[in-house]
Amino acid sequence: MLIYNSQMHRKQELKTIEPGKVRMYVCGPTVYDQIHIGNARTFLCFDVIRRYLTYKGYEVTFAQNLTDVDDKIINRANEQGRTAAEVAEEYSQAFIEQMHRFGILDPDIRPRATREIAAMQEMIQGLIDQGYAYAVPSGDVYFSVRSDTSYGVLSGRNVDELMSGARVEENDQKRDPLDFALWKAAKPGEPSWPSPWGNGRPGWHTECVAMIHRYLGVPIDIHGGGADLIFPHHENETAQCMCNWHTALANCWMHTGMLTIDGEKMSKSLGNFYTLKEVLDKYPADALRLLMLQTHYRSPLDFSFERLDGTVGTLERLKTTVKNLRWAAKNAPEDGELNDPDRALTKAVKEATAEFTAQMDDDFNTAGGLAAIFSLVTTANTYLTEAGEDISMAATLRAADALEELAGVLGIDLSEKDSSGLPHELVDLAKEKAGYAGDDPEEAAQALIDARQEARKAKDWGTADAIRDGITALGLVLEDTAAGARLRKKD
Ligand code: AMP
Ligand code: ZN
């Protein structure tokens, strides 16, 4: 398998440190707000990379942090008159919930910065002891960039170039404008922890390195994030690892291209963003997945709702093909001799599977992988129209299974169970009206039906009507059938 290593600027054969095992880490979000679909693109790409490595037979250990202490969190808490811990907890949960909706697998290890203070302090002390970091009277601790002769290896910058762009801030006690904070002295009202350098909190660049060392061991096989993290975040991470443990942090660095709007990077600060939540409230998660995976992970991806609208139709076409194949198989006669068209379909299944793997083996070319899936869809649809009565159950089932399996590697679910068509807003409604705590529209529908039934039994017509009104407002009807009540979309 070839993977593009950003540090080497070329594709390299994947050689894992331990045979058959991949240890990977992807920098997680700062939890101060809902994430936007640009962030989501990066997390999606690594979800698919992880799924594909698993499909290839690797045992993958995947870690991702939550940055739950940071200036942005503290500012948000101050604006809202809440504690930073409350803000971080709310948005950690919100992040995990949206990741689930988007079909992103949970990491095996999800460390949080505030729970890793001891590991970070130990690393910082190690850097101070070896002369790579220093504490200043204010209680800050800085990493001394010039003490690290290999600084700049990852991002390909040299220290003198960086110097010319560096800003010298007033009241700075840094010895060199390039130095970055490993530990920040506490300011009044901020969360802080005791340390050998006085009360304070960790700098952002410190947490991932300490966590990787603690949970995965260094070096790891793959370290990832968006391309905007290469400098300074990843450069600073690798510098700390190199200086403290005298080994590289990662053998392979993978970086995703930016999601843009009208050619401009989507970001909170520019205000040109859509949250993942608002998009998933309106569109099927797999349509957004499909749209994003049609572009190679390293290329920029310009987002628009017109494109997403188009992808909804593409996803439907994929699902309908699988449904039709299964339906045809159910109604097929006993298989007799295989005809030419049956053999052609079986051959197309083999070819699509081989092509999918070849594309994905080449630096996770999801666009090429999807093209292989679409080509099988075309062959399967032609087969269904042309084979008439005389179809082969085995060939059709094999095609349906292959489509589901290959799309499944990309995290796209083509099986019929996902076709309830119930909107995700039902979950919010069920939370409010039925005390539901999960994240599944079908379960939420059942919880609402049960809650309404209870209310009617108790002659609480107000509650029963409020539930029905909420359901109607979502464009759904509540049907009482012989088998019990159910929700369905209004025709
Ligand atoms: P942050 O919470 O800002 O640290 O971002 C979390 C992740 O999202 C990081 O890996 C960023 O590189 C990534 N990211 C931020 N903006 C974008 C974007 N517009 N497109 C793709 N990835 C992004
Ligand atoms: Zn990081």
Side-chain angles (χ1 to χ4, degrees):
M1 278 189 73
L2 289 174
I3 305 186
Y4 187 91
N5 183 351
S6 326
Q7 181 164 353
M8 299 303 171
H9 306 282
R10 62 183 163 85
K11 292 182 197 171
Q12 289 178 318
E13 191 62 39
L14 170 65
K15 284 201 201 87
T16 60
I17 296 163
E18 278 182 80
K21 295 190 180 177
V22 173
R23 301 200 309 272
M24 68 187 282
Y25 183 93
V26 173
C27 300
T30 305
V31 282
Y32 70 106
D33 207 342
Q34 288 284 347
I35 61 158
H36 60 61
I37 56 172
N39 306 131
R41 179 197 187 195
T42 289
F43 300 137
L44 170 70
C45 291
F46 286 104
D47 181 58
V48 170
I49 288 165
R50 173 196 189 180
R51 284 171 187 265
Y52 186 67
L53 289 168
T54 309
Y55 173 73
K56 290 285 285 187
Y58 287 101
E59 189 185 309
V60 182
T61 308
F62 184 96
Q64 179 171 64
N65 66 317
L66 291 172
T67 299
D68 62 351
V69 57
D70 178 84
D71 287 338
K72 290 182 198 142
I73 300 172
I74 295 167
N75 292 343
R76 180 59 54 95
N78 289 341
E79 277 161 33
Q80 298 182 343
R82 297 200 288 167
T83 66
E86 282 165 356
V87 170
E89 183 54 31
E90 177 183 344
Y91 290 108
S92 297
Q93 288 313 323
F95 171 69
I96 292 168
E97 190 178 326
Q98 298 312 315
M99 288 291 98
H100 289 169
R101 282 178 81 185
F102 200 21
I104 293 196
L105 300 174
D106 278 332
D108 299 303
I109 307 157
R110 188 170 354 237
R112 296 171 192 230
T114 55
R115 298 182 194 166
E116 304 295 330
I117 303 291
M120 288 187 248
Q121 290 185 350
E122 200 181 309
M123 186 179 78
I124 295 169
Q125 190 62 55
L127 288 166
I128 295 175
D129 293 345
Q130 297 178 78
Y132 293 108
Y134 57 92
V136 298
S138 68
D140 293 338
V141 179
Y142 291 101
F143 182 89
S144 164
V145 166
R146 281 182 196 275
S147 70
D148 173 15
T149 47
S150 59
Y151 193 85
V153 278
L154 176 65
S155 58
R157 296 171 201 229
N158 80 43
V159 171
D160 294 324
E161 254 169 43
L162 289 170
M163 195 56 200
S164 65
R167 262 188 306 164
V168 182
E169 300 190 8
E170 242 175 284
N171 302 326
D172 233 344
Q173 299 183 328
K174 287 187 213 179
R175 292 183 193 156
D176 190 313
L178 294 182
D179 295 351
F180 60 89
L182 301 173
W183 186 260
K184 297 179 171 182
K187 298 200 191 91
E190 286 187 359
S192 68
W193 291 262
S195 85
W197 321 288
N199 283 354
R201 60 185 165 98
W204 174 44
H205 306 305
T206 303
E207 62 186 85
C208 302
V209 201
M211 291 168 182
I212 292 172
H213 179 262
R214 177 166 182 202
Y215 291 102
L216 299 175
V218 290
I220 54 171
D221 295 292
I222 297 176
H223 190 322
D228 58 339
L229 294 191
I230 297 176
F231 188 87
H233 185 56
H234 287 165
E235 189 70 62
N236 290 352
E237 284 186 0
T238 195
Q240 292 168 76
C241 183
M242 212 54 179
C243 292
N244 200 40
W245 292 296
H246 314 289
T247 173
L249 181 54
N251 283 356
C252 180
W253 288 85
M254 296 183 72
H255 292 102
T256 51
M258 292 293 104
L259 184 133
T260 57
I261 290 265
D262 298 326
E264 199 164 30
K265 177 188 167 190
M266 176 170 287
S267 78
K268 277 271 154 62
S269 53
L270 290 174
N272 60 347
F273 65 89
Y274 300 107
T275 65
L276 179 61
K277 181 177 188 313
E278 69 185 311
V279 176
L280 295 186
D281 281 346
K282 296 199 193 81
Y283 288 87
D286 281 349
L288 185 61
R289 258 187 184 258
L290 194 54
L291 178 147
M292 289 183 174
L293 297 177
Q294 279 170 342
T295 301
H296 189 269
Y297 78 86
R298 278 191 289 122
S299 307
L301 160 62
D302 206 45
F303 176 82
S304 74
F305 281 104
E306 290 76 43
R307 277 187 76 184
L308 185 53
D309 286 331
T311 318
V312 172
T314 314
L315 177 66
E316 275 313 306
R317 184 162 162 254
L318 285 171
K319 286 189 167 186
T320 309
T321 305
V322 173
K323 204 154 84 184
N324 290 347
L325 284 166
R326 296 224 179 275
W327 190 83
K330 222 188 259 171
N331 296 294
E334 283 287 305
D335 269 353
E337 280 284 290
L338 286 190
N339 299 325
D340 280 350
D342 305 335
R343 270 189 228 105
L345 181 60
T346 307
K347 186 162 163 260
V349 167
K350 278 201 194 117
E351 282 171 0
T353 308
E355 176 64 10
F356 177 86
T357 311
Q359 293 292 339
M360 292 292 285
D361 277 352
D362 183 10
D363 195 28
F364 307 98
N365 187 352
T366 52
L370 280 168
I373 294 176
F374 288 129
S375 124
L376 179 56
V377 163
T378 307
T379 313
N381 283 325
T382 313
Y383 175 79
L384 288 177
T385 353
E386 290 177 359
E389 299 278 287
D390 199 18
I391 65 163
S392 152
M393 187 190 291
T396 36
L397 280 182
R398 215 170 289 145
D401 288 348
L403 287 172
E404 269 184 32
E405 181 180 351
L406 298 180
V409 175
L410 303 177
I412 294 172
D413 185 0
L414 298 183
S415 65
E416 277 191 71
K417 66 177 166 28
D418 196 37
S419 58
S420 72
L422 295 174
H424 197 269
E425 284 101 324
L426 268 182
V427 170
D428 295 332
L429 186 66
K431 277 184 184 158
E432 189 193 325
K433 303 261 188 253
Y436 174 66
D439 192 34
D440 178 70
E442 290 202 51
E443 282 174 20
Q446 198 53 51
L448 285 163
I449 289 168
D450 293 346
R452 180 168 165 269
Q453 211 65 36
E454 288 292 308
R456 284 162 64 102
K457 244 193 242 158
K459 301 207 178 342
D460 177 0
W461 309 116
T463 303
D465 287 348
I467 292 177
R468 179 182 281 268
D469 292 348
I471 288 168
T472 314
L474 293 177
L476 301 168
V477 283
L478 210 160
E479 274 185 338
D480 284 306
T481 70
R486 67 180 194 113
L487 294 190
R488 65 168 180 81
K489 270 191 189 166
K490 232 181 261 169
D491 295 324

